[in-house]
């Protein structure tokens, strides 16, 4: 993120800003970008896409404090567009740095492009490119791991002094130095071996994910529901497929074949337009195993939030309530593919404790 050109990015969004404002915003950007906790990164997505915060969230107070540090006149309630600009630029810098969770988060927050940032979808476009690069790199950039031995320290000078018989050293000191050096070499060797094993383990896990997804697709059997996908109501299949696939992914950003598998699983219905409300209403108590917890970020995970309300809280989702929590119409239309991808992105983020 150190190479990100904030000034150019900010001036593209605010070409008439004076130098003092640019300097104040750069300071705020630096402070916000330095916060690497997942919760704060998700807060930035709320600001970038102007999503509603839950009442218990302190996200607004957090960014308000950062922005006011160099601009006491700033108000998080009134300067929402400026907060959105800074948040978008921080997220863009994270995308440029190839941080694996950010593009998935941005995809979920964008809700199939139905939500817009102050940069006219530029953040979403950058996220798509970043995700494509990450998932391809994950499969094709593996280098052969190697194990290196520890570097030995020289004890020759101690041995020379011992042989000289000057009394400057003794056998015990020489043995202690040799044992200490041996222990240090063992630690170096173990660290090198663990690093190589980690590379192999991660690659095997990636391959296992892809094999699992392939067998899932060939089998046509829901992983979460433990029933044939043919028995799932057609309108609910995108949600079930997206959640199924997301549950099988263990590392962000996920395997590079997942998007093709989702489209293949949907078949000819992939481009069919569906109302979100109708898809959720098709989820019944028979599908209780789809969700086991509520997402703590309703606005970033609208599909999971609505399904968890239905299955966990056992309360019907009302249009006005959904609008207040997400900023979206409950009757919003998506293609089956867009809905499945949204459910997938939400599920991965939820499983890995992002939302």
């Amino acid at each position: 993120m150190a190479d990100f050109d904030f000034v150019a990015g900010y001036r593209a969004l605010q070409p008439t800003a004076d130098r003092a404002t640019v300097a104040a915003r750069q300071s705020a950007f630096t402070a916000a970008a330095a916060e690497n906790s997942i919760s704060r990164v998700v807060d930035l997505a709320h600001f970038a896409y102007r999503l509603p915060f839950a009442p218990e969230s302190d996200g607004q107070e957090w960014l308000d404090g950062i922005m006011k540090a160099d601009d006491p006149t700033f108000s998080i309630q009134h300067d929402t567009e400026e907060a959105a600009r800074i948040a978008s630029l921080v997220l863009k810098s994270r995308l440029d740095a190839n941080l694996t969770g950010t593009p998935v988060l941005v995809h979920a927050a964008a809700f199939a492009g139905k939500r817009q940032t102050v940069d006219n979808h530029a953040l979403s476009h950058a996220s798509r490119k970043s995700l494509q690069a990450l998932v391809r790199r994950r499969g094709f950039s593996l280098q052969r791991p190697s194990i290196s031995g520890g570097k030995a320290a020289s004890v020759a000078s101690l041995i020379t002094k011992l042989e000289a018989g000057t009394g400057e050293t003794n056998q015990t000191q020489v043995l202690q130095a040799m044992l200490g050096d041996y222990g240090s070499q063992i630690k170096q060797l173990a660290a090198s071996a663990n690093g190589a094993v980690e590379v192999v383990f991660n690659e095997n896990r990636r391959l296992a994910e892809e094999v699992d997804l392939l067998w899932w697709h060939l089998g046509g059997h829901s992983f979460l529901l433990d029933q044939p996908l043919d028995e799932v109501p057609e309108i609910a299949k995108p949600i079930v497929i997206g959640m199924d696939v997301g549950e099988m992914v263990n590392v962000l950003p996920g395997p590079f074949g997942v998007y093709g598998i989702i489209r293949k699983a949907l078949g000819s219905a992939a481009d069919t337009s569906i109302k979100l409300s109708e898809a959720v209403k098709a989820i019944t108590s028979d599908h209780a195993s789809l969700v086991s917890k509520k997402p703590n970020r309703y606005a970033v995970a609208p599909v999971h939030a609505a399904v968890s309300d239905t299955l966990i809280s056992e309360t019907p989702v009302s249009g006005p309530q959904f609008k207040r929590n997400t900023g979206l119409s409950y009757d919003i239309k998506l293609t089956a593919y867009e809905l499945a991808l949204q459910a997938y992105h939400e599920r991965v983020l939820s499983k890995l404790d992002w939302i």
Side-chain angles (χ1 to χ4, degrees):
M1 287 188 282
D3 295 332
F4 182 76
D5 190 342
F6 168 81
V7 174
Y10 184 76
R11 285 198 175 279
L13 298 175
Q14 283 285 72
T16 61
D18 57 44
R19 291 181 180 276
T21 299
V22 174
R25 298 298 181 254
Q26 185 165 23
S27 178
F29 165 87
T30 301
E35 178 58 78
N36 286 317
S37 74
I38 290 174
S39 178
R40 291 309 184 202
V41 176
V42 180
D43 283 340
L44 291 169
H46 277 262
F47 286 111
Y49 286 94
R50 287 155 288 189
L51 309 182
F53 279 93
E56 65 273 14
S57 171
D58 68 343
Q60 291 179 301
E61 289 81 1
W62 166 68
L63 191 61
D64 189 53
I66 286 176
M67 299 293 286
K68 280 183 174 175
D70 289 275
D71 181 5
T73 66
F74 180 86
S75 167
I76 203 71
Q77 285 76 31
H78 298 102
D79 300 318
T80 54
E81 296 296 294
E82 193 70 343
R85 292 183 189 99
I86 298 304
S88 296
L89 290 170
V90 175
L91 291 174
K92 178 62 168 60
S93 72
R94 292 179 63 86
L95 293 174
D96 286 0
N98 292 318
L99 299 179
T100 56
T102 304
V104 180
L105 171 65
V106 171
H107 270 58
F111 201 81
K114 300 299 189 291
R115 290 165 168 160
Q116 184 172 333
T117 44
V118 290
D119 53 17
N120 192 28
H121 297 293
L123 183 65
S124 295
H125 295 322
S127 177
R128 186 175 298 111
K129 291 180 180 179
S130 176
L131 189 58
Q132 288 172 347
L134 281 168
V135 294
R136 286 170 179 160
R137 186 179 302 116
R138 188 180 176 202
F140 295 118
S141 66
L142 180 67
Q143 295 182 351
R144 181 183 179 89
S146 61
I147 299 175
S148 58
K151 185 177 180 180
S154 175
V155 294
S157 60
L158 286 176
I159 295 173
T160 299
K161 289 178 181 179
L162 179 65
E163 290 176 341
T166 61
E168 291 184 54
T169 187
N170 55 49
Q171 291 180 343
T172 300
Q173 290 174 316
V174 173
L175 287 172
Q176 286 176 337
M178 293 176 69
L179 287 172
D181 177 55
Y182 176 75
S184 176
Q185 289 186 58
I186 290 294
K187 289 180 181 178
Q188 293 177 51
L189 179 62
S192 177
N194 285 333
V197 169
E198 182 71 13
V199 170
V200 175
F201 173 79
N202 288 337
E203 180 63 8
N204 284 341
R205 181 164 55 180
R206 179 187 72 81
L207 292 173
E209 285 178 358
E210 293 181 354
V211 171
D212 286 345
L213 287 167
L214 179 60
W215 282 115
W216 171 87
H217 175 51
L218 292 175
H221 197 87
S222 171
F223 177 74
L224 291 168
L225 299 180
D226 192 20
Q227 70 179 85
L229 285 171
D230 288 344
E231 296 179 6
V232 177
E234 196 67 29
I235 198 169
K237 277 185 182 178
I239 293 177
V240 174
I241 287 171
M243 290 186 176
D244 254 14
V245 173
E247 188 63 23
M248 287 185 277
V249 172
N250 298 294
V251 180
L252 290 167
F256 55 85
V258 69
Y259 300 97
I261 286 177
I262 288 176
R263 178 169 280 280
K264 284 289 187 180
L266 291 167
S268 59
D271 296 317
T272 302
S273 181
I274 297 174
K275 278 186 181 180
L276 176 60
S277 58
E278 293 178 355
V280 174
K281 287 172 185 175
I283 302 294
T284 67
S285 57
D286 294 337
H287 310 121
S289 56
L290 278 180
V291 292
S292 58
K293 67 174 183 176
K294 288 186 174 184
N296 57 34
R297 299 282 189 156
Y298 205 115
V300 181
V303 177
H304 271 68
V307 172
S308 65
D309 277 350
T310 301
L311 297 179
I312 298 177
S313 301
E314 297 182 341
T315 57
V317 181
S318 71
Q321 175 197 35
F322 188 82
K323 179 75 172 179
R324 280 195 305 273
N325 289 332
T326 67
L328 297 167
S329 167
Y330 192 32
D331 289 329
I332 192 169
K333 288 185 176 181
L334 302 91
T335 67
Y337 183 61
E338 289 173 336
L339 179 54
L341 287 189
Q342 182 66 28
Y344 163 69
H345 290 135
E346 291 180 12
R347 186 52 163 241
V348 174
L349 292 171
S350 177
K351 180 181 179 182
L352 300 178
D353 294 324
W354 275 63
I355 57 176

